[in-house]
Amino acid sequence: MFETLSATPPDAIVGMIKIAAADTNPKKIDLGVGIYQDKVGATPVMRAVKEAEKRLLREEDSKKYIGIHGNPAFNSLFSKLIFGANSEAITSGRLATAQAAGGSGALRLGAELIKLANPAATIWVSTPTWANHQPLIGSTGLRIKQYPYYNKETQRIDFDDMCAELRDNAKVGDAVLLHGCCHNPTGADLSESQWQTIADLMLEKNLLPFVDLAYAGLGDGLAQDSYGLRLLAGIFPELVLAASCSKNFGLYKERVGLVGALCATPDDAKLAHGQIGLTMRRMISMPPDHGAALVAKILADPALTADWKTELEDMRVRMTGLRASLGEALLVQGAEQMAAAITAQKGMFSLLPVSQEQADKLRSEHSVFLLNSGRINIAGARTETIDRLADCILAVL
Ligand code: LMR
């Protein structure tokens, strides 16, 4: 019967891993999938993670089941890190959490929860957004619509259009997916005043914030990268959070994430907690523990936490430095707008103003691997390849 299945198209992001790996040009620059790379192009296990693994190996005496909400220490410590330990979201008892299989698992659980509470809700996503947002959230059956976010030609956020679309067309109870920081794929983040404006608009229209926080610590720093989430959590009775430990703890393949539902009352939070657990049980029964146990070990130990924060900050600073160098190299050649945009954008990604044909050319003629959309992962560049990268980009434009 399986001959009846249709062939699957290559994945826009994961598919690029293989394509880039197959290129043997020593001058290859791989800016495809969103993984952090250090100055020699490696993605090492973070020091604090290695140390936590050693301790876990020594101390763990059982692999028995933990439960459908995953590792409770992880849920508590990671929530405190993200919302702030003394925040009202944490102290009020209004927050229901569960460990998820990566940020993606958290997005799926969050969307399922929204669907259970309000099957008529539409989820609004930015144009553009992470290539897997629509497939992942859409597979809940919820309706998805798009709001304008970024203009690839001007390389700026279309904030007025974003507000107008949501003001005119979103209906009460719809959810708005917002990238907490380091917008994927553009790197263009809302300013503090834009967060306030969008918060006011959503509050007035009774829209539910659904925050995807996958890059905390890699934009402006840990606390600053939670600015939008914390602002919303302070004023909205309800919101949904999907957070990831893939990038900031380098735990990609371990699949560690957190879904959170901030509810109007502690009683509502109990209901949400129950439904998240039930959904988890029906989908995968329970999330895997290894990565979450490592994060919990790090966050429970001040010395390990400090070391993790230092290494995370080094990663962030390296990427900011690469942005500045690429900006300078582009500026020398007169590409002022692109230079300014890339320098100011945050986190791993920027969206180059290139067509799919030009992206193809960058790959086939220059061995510069980026997504068809024009997305580059700046962490894949190196100081010694920056000038060549700027030359290649300008050569195809
Ligand atoms: C990316 O955007 O490159 C990462 O989040 C990896 C993925 O799963 O798409």
Side-chain angles (χ1 to χ4, degrees), residues 87-363:
S87 63
E88 205 261 343
I90 297 294
T91 57
S92 62
R94 294 196 293 125
L95 183 67
T97 57
Q99 180 206 327
S104 299
L107 282 164
R108 179 64 190 265
L109 286 164
E112 294 286 356
L113 186 72
I114 293 169
K115 188 179 175 201
L116 284 167
N118 178 13
T122 292
I123 311 273
W124 290 82
V125 301
S126 62
T127 303
T129 197
W130 177 47
N132 204 28
H133 267 149
Q134 291 207 42
L136 198 155
I137 294 170
S139 57
T140 59
L142 280 168
R143 185 158 174 207
I144 297 191
K145 285 189 181 165
Q146 293 169 290
Y147 59 84
Y149 185 78
Y150 187 78
N151 182 322
K152 197 172 161 180
E153 299 315 314
T154 62
Q155 295 183 273
R156 296 170 77 94
I157 296 180
D158 273 336
F159 191 64
D160 291 344
D161 292 350
M162 170 185 182
C163 293
E165 180 67 27
L166 293 173
R167 187 181 304 112
D168 296 345
N169 295 317
K171 60 179 191 312
V172 172
D174 283 356
V176 182
L177 188 70
L178 295 161
H179 299 223
C181 66
C182 309
H183 185 272
N184 182 0
T186 69
D189 284 350
L190 298 177
S191 66
E192 291 187 4
S193 76
Q194 287 172 329
W195 272 110
Q196 187 66 56
T197 304
I198 207 71
D200 291 344
L201 189 155
M202 291 197 301
L203 205 54
E204 190 189 312
K205 289 219 52 166
N206 224 329
L207 306 176
L208 178 78
F210 186 2
V211 181
D212 182 354
L213 190 64
Y215 296 87
L218 293 169
D220 285 320
L222 258 184
Q224 188 60 24
D225 290 347
S226 295
Y227 177 85
L229 173 73
R230 290 181 184 190
L231 175 83
L232 299 172
I235 54 181
F236 276 78
E238 298 179 330
L239 65 74
V240 177
L241 165 72
S244 170
C245 299
S246 294
K247 331 280 164 160
N248 48 13
F249 283 86
L251 284 168
Y252 310 90
K253 67 180 179 181
E254 301 294 356
R255 313 306 299 137
V256 192
L258 180 95
V259 60
L262 186 65
C263 303
T265 66
D267 281 346
D268 290 357
K270 284 191 193 121
L271 297 174
H273 190 250
Q275 289 297 337
I276 293 171
L278 190 64
T279 308
M280 182 96 74
R281 181 75 172 143
R282 288 175 178 166
M283 277 168 48
I284 59 167
S285 184
M286 295 170 215
D289 183 60
H290 184 74
L294 299 176
V295 174
K297 272 214 174 307
I298 293 169
L299 295 180
D301 181 309
L304 277 187
T305 302
D307 188 44
W308 166 67
K309 285 185 177 172
T310 303
E311 195 170 357
L312 179 63
E313 181 62 6
D314 289 347
M315 289 157 64
R316 189 186 76 78
V317 168
R318 184 180 121 71
M319 291 196 294
T320 313
L322 286 169
R323 285 187 176 282
S325 307
L326 182 55
E328 275 165 34
L330 289 165
L331 197 57
V332 168
Q333 305 201 39
E336 281 173 29
Q337 179 189 295
M338 210 185 337
I342 289 176
T343 308
Q345 288 163 352
K346 312 282 180 195
M348 285 186 180
F349 307 120
S350 278
L351 196 65
L352 300 181
V354 296
S355 62
Q356 182 168 338
E357 265 171 25
Q358 290 164 331
D360 268 340
K361 230 178 182 183
L362 274 167
R363 288 190 295 263

Side-chain angles (χ1 to χ4, degrees), residues 64-72 75 99 277 280-281 285-288:
K64 68 185 182 209
Y65 294 125
I66 294 183
I68 53 180
H69 295 92
N71 188 309
N75 293 342
Q99 180 206 327
M280 182 96 74
R281 181 75 172 143
S285 184
M286 295 170 215

Side-chain angles (χ1 to χ4, degrees), residues 23 357-369:
D23 186 295
E357 265 171 25
Q358 290 164 331
D360 268 340
K361 230 178 182 183
L362 274 167
R363 288 190 295 263
S364 59
E365 293 179 14
H366 301 278
S367 293
V368 171
F369 289 85

Side-chain angles (χ1 to χ4, degrees), residues 50-67:
K50 263 287 179 219
E51 178 55 31
E53 275 184 324
K54 277 189 208 151
R55 294 187 194 176
L56 194 65
L57 188 64
R58 222 171 31 233
E59 293 161 14
E60 193 178 42
D61 55 9
S62 173
K63 295 282 186 192
K64 68 185 182 209
Y65 294 125
I66 294 183

